[in-house]
Amino acid sequence: MILNLLTNLSYYIPEIVSIVTMCALLFLEASYKASEKSRTMVFVASLIGLVVVLFSLISNMSLEPVSLFASAVVVDKFSTLTKILMTLGTLGVVYLSYKSKDIYTGLKSEFLIMAMGVLVGGMLLSSANNLLTVYLGIETLSILSYVMSSFKRHESSSTEAGMKYALYGGISAGIMLFGMSHIYGVLGTIQFSEMVPLLKELTGANLAVMLISFVLFFVGVGYKIACFPFHMWSPDVYQGSPLPVTTFFALVPKFAGLAVLVRISFVFFSNEGALQIGWIGLIQVVAALTMTVGNVTAIGQDSLKRLLAFSSIGHVGMMLLGVVAVSESTTRIILFYSIAYLFMTLVVFYVVSTISDKYGTDSHSVIKGLIYRHPLMAIVMSIALFSLAGLPPFSGFVAKFNMLSAVIESKYYALAFVAAINSVISLYYYMRIIKMMIVEQPETNEKIETFNFINQALITVYAIPVLFLGIFWEKIMLISDGAKIFIVP
Amino acid sequence: MSGLLNWILWLPVIGMIAILFVPKDKKDLIRTFGVVTTSITFLLTLVLYAKFNTSIGGMQPEFLIKVPWIEQFNIFYSLGVDGISLPMVVLTGLLFLICTVSSWSVDKQVKSYYVLLLMLQSSVFGVFFALDFFLFYVYWEVMLLPMFFLIGIWGGENREYAAIKFFLYTFFGSIIMLVGIIALYYATGKGVDSFNILALQGGHFTKEVVTLFGTEFSFEKLFFWAMFLGFAIKVPVFPFHTWLPHAHVQAPTAVSVILAGVLLKMGTYGFLRIAFPIFPMASVEYSTVIAVLGCISVLYGAFCAMAQSDVKKLVAYSSVSHMGFVMMGMAAMTVQGMNGAVLQMFNHGTSTAMMFLMIGVIYERSHHRWIVKPDGSKGYGGLYSHMPKYSIIFIIGMFASLGLPGLSGFISEALIFLGIFNRFTTITVFAVLGLLLGAAYLLWMFKRMFFGEASAEVKSYPDMSIREVGYMIPLCVAVIVFGIYPSPILNVMKASVAQLLDLLGKFS
């Protein structure tokens, strides 16, 4: 037993390293007086920790899929790749938080500690293999998120965000738990692998109960990825939170939530039957509405953060399309979409953060005539926005193309047309930003000089995949294609 | 010679990269780079024309290029040229050369301007060369980016609205087309040829069925309309034309020229290369609809043109009218009609380019484009006596545009009417009115601008400079020569058009 546990632990190095890093950061932070030096130390330590996590994850990519800890978690390529994405996202956010003025200086180290915690929660979620682990993962992810969203505690918008997030989160977690208890009540087990054969034999009333309980279960996950109708918290939280936190929320919890959604769809709903019809029907409607609501509402937004919140709701709708098509290609396209989305989001938030740090507001007007004030930033941002809108030759287009392919392959033509029209709507508001940056004249001619060499290098590095994956996407596609979900026999 | 298409396609990109390394304030050097690049490109298109084998109907085997791009999805970088695309390619080469010369007077952000212009040229070539559907789509969309900025930055007062409207409208059409492209990919079973435009041709989808909202639709018909939407917006056919007047009026001169001269042709080219051959049954079945829409475009465009007091808007609406003729010629699906349509695509490219350039010339002097100013006074008047060079070239362009025998517009329109008369007689009768209206609004415009007493302001305008005359001459020559002797173009397209008609004939 102990030997077994020890061998299992060897698969679990990334998580262990994350936890160790988190504790180390906590000690570091606590044992020094708050000063610039100690902040830098915590920052560097977290970077080192994350890089180690990243490398151990990459080395895990070559492992055969296994289930660990009495089948509570699964380590397969799908979960490992999701974890890599989350770690990359965290890495991007770490530097952003270090330079950002939006987080109170005294809280910067705390942010890093909590980010590590959320990352651990996300990792747990993405490899969850029983209902309890899913719940644990979601709660680990959420509780720290609530704190992070109210980081600007002297501002009412931020406390409001934290409050809203917590209330919403509490209720949806409760509903989810309620659903889970029904599932357990009917099937008598919480293990995914034990549930699958039992599900096949369900009939009549039990089947109906099961369908409803999965809907309830979906509430918890849907809230985490902010899909319609559980998206209401997202704009307020995005706007109220400090920008690095917003960036973090746009990436890590979304990837984790999607990962668990994809896994559940694969494990439970890949067999034809009433359950699959119900589940796919649900996701179809949710996907269409999420996209439409997100994109249409984004049009009227003045605050860039709020606009990005709605745009990310639109993108979640797009990613849900991949779940609709429960087919071989699902994991591939969702992972590719996530990879593309990661880099586009990093670029956009990086620029928005820099600008709103300088002017103290994130209203549309501050971005006017950016091309005259900082050409690199404007060009890189335009590339990212065009890519978000899904225009070739950028990675967003390839992601969208594959998403549409999956939907059409499963012959949901109506959904494909909805997605197509949505991408026109999204182009409109992205283009308005681009127009402001490049076409309009700036209000001041003052150059932006706060953007030093490291920052410039960083956004360029983030922008390269946006461009590169739009043209030479075969390699990454093959890697995501190999990242299959392991269904424990 | 097999790399010729690659050279034509990528030379503008090379020029673009070269310009990126030139310092911003060396404006003349940037302009020279632009002109040199487009001249070499134009020469290469002429080489392509010279090497073209007119007896082959399909893609010229000598120039085919096919390299795997994304093997996993059977996407290829595959280029080719045939008799339908060759006139467009040469036209693109010519018009971009003229535009880079005529844009010498642009003084705002010269570097970005030329970079975007060359990027546009490359993507336009890409559309005309692409034989892979994915590649085609990529170029089709990439073209929107430089256009958006060219209209948005260098345009007139209302440029932002125009740029966004143009972008959104076209994007809407093309994304619906994308759904069609993907549907075709799966309908052919994801095989090696699933994105191969040539292999998709031939009516393989007549029996496929699609279920949408619980109702069964014919695959062929549904996705014919999806493609139709994409191309019809680009042409633009009534009722999808509303973006065009805005885009034209706001765009800077050179961009208007490109837009009317080349970009609109991409729509009709799409019909000939994609919609018709891939969905021949639906095309034949709905040719009446296309002809009727074409006829409405002809008349509606002409009436709208007549009502304009902004001369550029007038020419913009005349484009709608003239592209309507192209649609009618294609819908006829006869030898004369189809040849006339392709010829009209070329001829409209040269004559409208002339008109837009001439308007650009006068705009640089007067800084307005009113035939009649909003306050009711004359915008110009008496140009004829004060700008003789300008007037002569303008007359050539105008008469070519209204279809005077002896100039290029006449031949193509006559061919179109010959081709369509037997098939859609009633429609033809109405469309002929369009010719009359065309003469009416152009001559009326001419009368108001060129005759009468010249105001002091008009007297102060200098006549055309050598540079301006210089870039107009090739177009004048083209308009006159192809008006008398159109065979150089007709010979090139004959075999390809015949092949297309063969295919369509099987389904009518």
Side-chain angles (χ1 to χ4, degrees), chain B residues 422-437:
Chain B
N422 279 334
R423 191 140 183 251
F424 304 112
T425 314
T426 327
I427 297 174
T428 318
V429 171
F430 278 107
V432 172
L433 278 178
L435 280 182
L436 191 67
L437 290 169

Side-chain angles (χ1 to χ4, degrees), chain A residues 329 332 371-372 375 382 386 389-394 397-398 400-402 404-406 408-409 411-417 419-421 423-425 427-428 431-432 434-435 438-441 470-474 477-478 481, chain B residues 24 69-73 75 108-109 134 137-139 141-142 144-145 148-149 152-153 159-161 163-165 167-169 171-173 175-176 178-183 185-186 190 195 209-213 219 222-223 226:
Chain A
S329 54
R332 176 185 77 209
I371 187 95
Y372 300 100
S382 310
F386 275 132
L391 274 170
F394 306 116
F397 165 69
V398 179
K400 186 182 76 182
F401 171 80
N402 282 296
L404 284 176
S405 307
I408 292 172
E409 187 179 15
K411 304 220 184 298
Y412 300 116
Y413 293 103
L415 202 57
F417 282 117
I421 289 166
S423 95
V424 180
I425 302 174
L427 179 70
Y428 174 68
M431 231 163 45
R432 263 182 43 211
I434 295 169
K435 185 199 82 182
I438 294 186
V439 175
E440 288 183 11
Q441 294 293 324
I471 302 168
F472 304 103
W473 38 282
E474 195 171 13
M477 200 53 105
L478 282 173
D481 203 20
Chain B
K24 218 189 282 180
W69 180 11
I70 313 288
E71 277 177 278
Q72 198 188 352
F73 291 85
I75 296 171
K108 181 184 174 188
Q109 299 179 45
F134 189 86
Y137 185 81
V138 168
Y139 277 121
E141 292 272 275
V142 166
L144 295 176
L145 304 179
F148 171 67
F149 291 117
I153 300 178
R159 55 181 186 259
E160 290 157 13
Y161 171 77
I164 288 192
K165 187 162 184 176
F167 202 148
L168 278 184
Y169 229 119
F171 186 66
F172 172 74
I175 192 95
I176 299 289
L178 179 67
V179 175
I181 294 176
I182 299 170
Y185 174 69
Y186 287 109
K190 304 192 270 185
F195 280 119
V209 173
V210 170
T211 319
L212 199 64
F213 298 118
F219 182 93
L222 183 71
F223 289 106

Side-chain angles (χ1 to χ4, degrees), chain A residues 12-23 48-50 52-53 56 116 120:
Chain A
Y12 225 55
I13 292 171
E15 279 84 347
I16 295 168
V17 175
S18 311
I19 295 169
V20 169
T21 315
M22 186 170 79
C23 300
I48 295 170
L50 281 168
V52 175
V53 173
S56 59
M116 292 305 293
V120 173

Side-chain angles (χ1 to χ4, degrees), chain B residues 118-188:
Chain B
L118 290 176
M119 184 175 160
L120 183 62
Q121 187 182 19
S122 176
S123 42
V124 170
F125 279 133
V127 169
F128 288 131
F129 285 149
L131 291 184
D132 183 282
F133 228 149
F134 189 86
L135 187 70
F136 175 86
Y137 185 81
V138 168
Y139 277 121
W140 182 273
E141 292 272 275
V142 166
M143 184 216 73
L144 295 176
L145 304 179
M147 273 307 279
F148 171 67
F149 291 117
L150 283 169
I151 299 177
I153 300 178
W154 289 271
E157 283 156 24
N158 208 2
R159 55 181 186 259
E160 290 157 13
Y161 171 77
I164 288 192
K165 187 162 184 176
F166 164 76
F167 202 148
L168 278 184
Y169 229 119
T170 329
F171 186 66
F172 172 74
S174 50
I175 192 95
I176 299 289
M177 184 167 89
L178 179 67
V179 175
I181 294 176
I182 299 170
L184 280 172
Y185 174 69
Y186 287 109
T188 48

